């Protein structure tokens, strides 16, 4: 390495250190403002204010603090070892989500995760799957989904006044195989354990064995799925920055982000994983100039939009990134592609994006615009 290269590398290291100091200082200032309630808008607004209070018991808080320390020590010891560090990040994110939920009143993470999943208000997907898809029939419910969205307002299924049928469809598809009598020997004990968590709710008690097990599976697997976001984050940063060390640091921070921990097991905690996967495929399409990856990126976003329209702003970011990549990065090479290269990428992405919705239209007779119009009535 020449003297100029050493000097450049040193300047870059110092710049990275200063950047980390600035980011750390900003985060600490934000946390202080949040803790002291210096600006009430940070804790919510427009009718979404949440009460903050001290936990009922100290033991769950101490357990959470110990687990945070264990995760931090493990992450430091695994620096530079990509696979073990990523596995540790996924395990850490999963365990920490359970520990955070465990701080809730009653201090039982398994109770709270399951209760939130079967709640008509907090999530609602399980309720919709049982009340409509199971009782009225799958194809009939999919065909009248826009009517179900309007009825959800009256039944206080608030999240499904604006949502496509993807979430309850997954509940329903999981419940079917779990209701097969031949596996009763394996499903009876866990289903009875889940019923004990909601024995005072007659509606949940009416669930079939498969329906209650599907709710339990989603409740307890959602923290793991949210934690898996660390993997595509690592891949994205590695391919963008070219350094495994920086990428690994980003991935190891993911389990410490409060939102996925606080909101487990709602479906919103799954969307970062899906969007990160879609962005990684898009990045591969741009870097390798391979249209197959553009299609895969659109396909993942097709599944994601079928779960919830809240992810739609990501499409704008994907488009802006594609244009920025073409305008800045590709022009550093000797023969940059023409603007039509971005258009072709967009077309293949769009083909993937409409795939799930075309299948839904074929089955139900409704399309994305039909569902979107009803969404706008309530949002």
């Amino acid at each position: 390495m020449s003297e100029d290269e050493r000097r450049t590398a040193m300047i870059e290291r110092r710049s990275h250190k200063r950047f980390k100091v600035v980011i750390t200082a900003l985060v600490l200032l934000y946390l202080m403002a949040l803790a002291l309630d210096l600006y009430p808008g940070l804790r919510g607004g427009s009718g979404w204010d949440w009460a903050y209070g001290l936990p009922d018991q100290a033991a769950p808080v101490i357990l959470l603090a110990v687990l945070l320390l264990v995760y931090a020590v493990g992450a430091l010891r695994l620096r530079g070892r990509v696979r073990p560090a990523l596995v540790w990040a996924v395990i850490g994110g999963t365990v920490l989500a359970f520990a955070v939920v465990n701080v809730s009143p009653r201090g039982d993470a398994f109770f709270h995760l399951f209760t939130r999943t079967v709640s008509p208000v907090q999530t609602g997907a399980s309720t919709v799957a049982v009340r409509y898809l199971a009782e009225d029939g799958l194809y009939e419910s999919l065909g009248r989904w826009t009517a179900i969205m309007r009825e959800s307002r009256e039944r206080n299924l608030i999240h499904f006044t604006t949502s496509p049928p993807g979430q309850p469809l997954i509940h329903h598809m999981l419940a079917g195989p779990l209701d097969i009598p031949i596996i009763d020997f394996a499903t009876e004990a866990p289903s009875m354990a889940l019923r004990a968590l909601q024995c005072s709710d007659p509606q949940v008690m009416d669930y079939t064995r498969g329906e209650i097990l599907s709710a339990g599976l989603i409740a307890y697997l959602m923290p793991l799925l949210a934690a898996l976001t660390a993997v595509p984050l690592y891949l994205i940063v590695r391919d963008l920055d070219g350094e495994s060390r920086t990428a690994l640091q980003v991935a190891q921070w993911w389990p410490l982000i409060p939102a996925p921990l606080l909101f487990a097991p709602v479906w919103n905690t799954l969307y970062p994983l899906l969007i990160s996967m879609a962005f990684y495929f898009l990045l591969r399409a741009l870097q390798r100039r391979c249209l197959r990856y553009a299609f895969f990126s659109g396909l993942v976003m097709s599944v994601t939009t079928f779960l919830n329209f809240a992810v739609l702003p990501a499409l704008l970011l994907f488009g802006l990134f594609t244009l920025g990549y073409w305008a800045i990065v590709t022009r550093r090479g000797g023969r940059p592609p023409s603007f039509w290269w971005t258009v072709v990428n967009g077309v293949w992405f769009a083909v993937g994006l409409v795939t799930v919705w075309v299948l839904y239209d074929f089955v139900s007779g409704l399309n994305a615009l039909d569902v979107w119009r009803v969404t706008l009535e309530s949002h």
Side-chain angles (χ1 to χ4, degrees):
M1 182 182 291
S2 66
E3 187 64 28
D4 289 340
E5 290 175 337
R6 288 196 193 95
R7 190 179 298 109
T8 301
M10 185 179 298
I11 292 173
E12 288 180 353
R13 283 196 296 270
R14 289 176 179 173
S15 177
H16 284 156
K17 288 181 179 179
R18 284 195 295 268
F19 178 74
K20 290 178 182 177
V21 169
V22 170
I23 292 297
T24 303
L26 290 174
V27 170
L28 292 175
L29 287 172
Y30 172 81
L31 293 175
M32 183 179 70
L34 185 66
L36 299 177
D37 200 16
L38 298 179
Y39 174 63
L42 293 177
R43 294 189 175 186
S46 303
W48 289 97
D49 296 302
W50 301 97
Y52 284 73
L54 294 174
D56 296 335
Q57 301 176 0
V61 180
I62 295 173
L63 175 61
L64 175 59
V66 170
L67 290 173
L68 283 169
L69 180 62
V70 170
Y71 173 74
V73 171
L76 289 172
R77 291 181 64 86
L78 291 171
R79 284 184 302 179
R81 299 168 59 188
V82 174
R83 289 187 180 179
L86 288 177
V87 171
W88 183 249
V90 173
I91 294 173
T94 306
V95 173
L96 288 174
F98 275 82
V100 168
V101 176
N102 198 53
V103 177
S104 305
R106 179 172 169 163
D108 185 343
F110 289 93
F111 169 81
H112 285 291
L113 289 170
F114 181 70
T115 301
R116 294 174 184 178
T117 303
V118 296
S119 168
V121 177
Q122 287 183 294
T123 49
S126 174
T127 305
V128 173
V130 174
R131 290 187 188 177
Y132 288 103
L133 275 65
E135 294 180 5
D136 298 342
L138 174 60
Y139 294 106
E140 181 179 346
S141 298
L142 293 178
R144 58 181 296 267
W145 184 254
T146 51
I148 291 174
M149 292 171 69
R150 293 187 176 102
E151 293 170 13
S152 295
R153 191 178 312 151
E154 301 170 1
R155 292 193 172 193
N156 201 29
L157 299 166
I158 55 175
H159 291 293
F160 283 90
T161 60
T162 58
S163 294
Q167 298 174 27
L169 182 60
I170 291 175
H171 273 275
H172 183 76
M173 293 175 67
L174 282 174
L178 293 171
D179 266 328
I180 298 175
I182 198 172
I183 61 170
D184 282 354
F185 71 95
T187 58
E188 182 177 2
S191 69
M192 292 303 295
L194 291 172
R195 289 186 191 278
L197 299 177
Q198 284 289 293
C199 58
S200 61
D201 189 333
Q203 292 182 339
V204 176
M205 289 300 98
D206 285 339
Y207 280 20
T208 67
R209 186 173 294 172
E211 288 166 349
I212 205 165
L213 284 174
S214 72
L217 277 174
I218 289 173
Y220 301 138
L221 286 178
M222 198 62 78
L224 170 62
L225 295 175
L228 283 169
T229 307
V231 177
L233 281 179
Y234 165 81
L235 296 173
I236 291 168
V237 179
R238 182 199 64 184
D239 287 1
L240 281 174
D241 187 67
E243 268 195 38
S244 293
R245 180 183 174 185
T246 304
L248 198 55
Q249 289 176 350
V250 171
Q252 288 176 321
W253 274 103
W254 172 253
L256 302 178
I257 294 178
L261 305 177
L262 290 169
F263 285 92
V266 299
W267 285 83
N268 303 63
T269 60
L270 174 65
Y271 305 149
L273 171 63
L274 297 175
I275 293 173
S276 298
M277 289 172 58
F279 185 80
Y280 175 65
F281 284 133
L282 177 65
L283 182 62
R284 298 280 282 189
L286 298 176
Q287 290 181 330
R288 298 195 173 194
R289 301 188 186 182
C290 179
L291 297 176
R292 179 176 68 249
Y293 287 112
F295 171 79
F296 289 152
S297 177
L299 183 61
V300 174
M301 286 305 297
S302 185
V303 173
T304 311
T305 56
F306 196 64
L307 295 174
N308 200 303
F309 285 138
V311 301
L312 287 176
L315 300 179
L316 174 62
L317 297 178
F318 283 17
L320 292 175
F321 179 82
T322 300
L323 292 175
Y325 190 91
W326 169 78
I328 300 173
V329 178
T330 61
R331 294 183 174 278
R332 293 176 182 173
R335 297 178 60 186
S338 68
F339 177 77
W340 288 108
W341 173 73
T342 65
V343 175
V344 173
N345 269 278
V347 168
W348 278 89
F349 179 90
V351 171
L353 182 62
V354 301
T355 299
V356 172
W357 288 100
V358 168
L359 293 174
Y360 175 63
D361 189 359
F362 177 77
V363 171
S364 68
L366 297 174
N367 57 48
L369 291 178
D370 295 326
V371 180
W372 175 248
R373 277 191 289 267
V374 180
T375 296
L376 294 180
E377 294 176 9
S378 300
H379 206 287

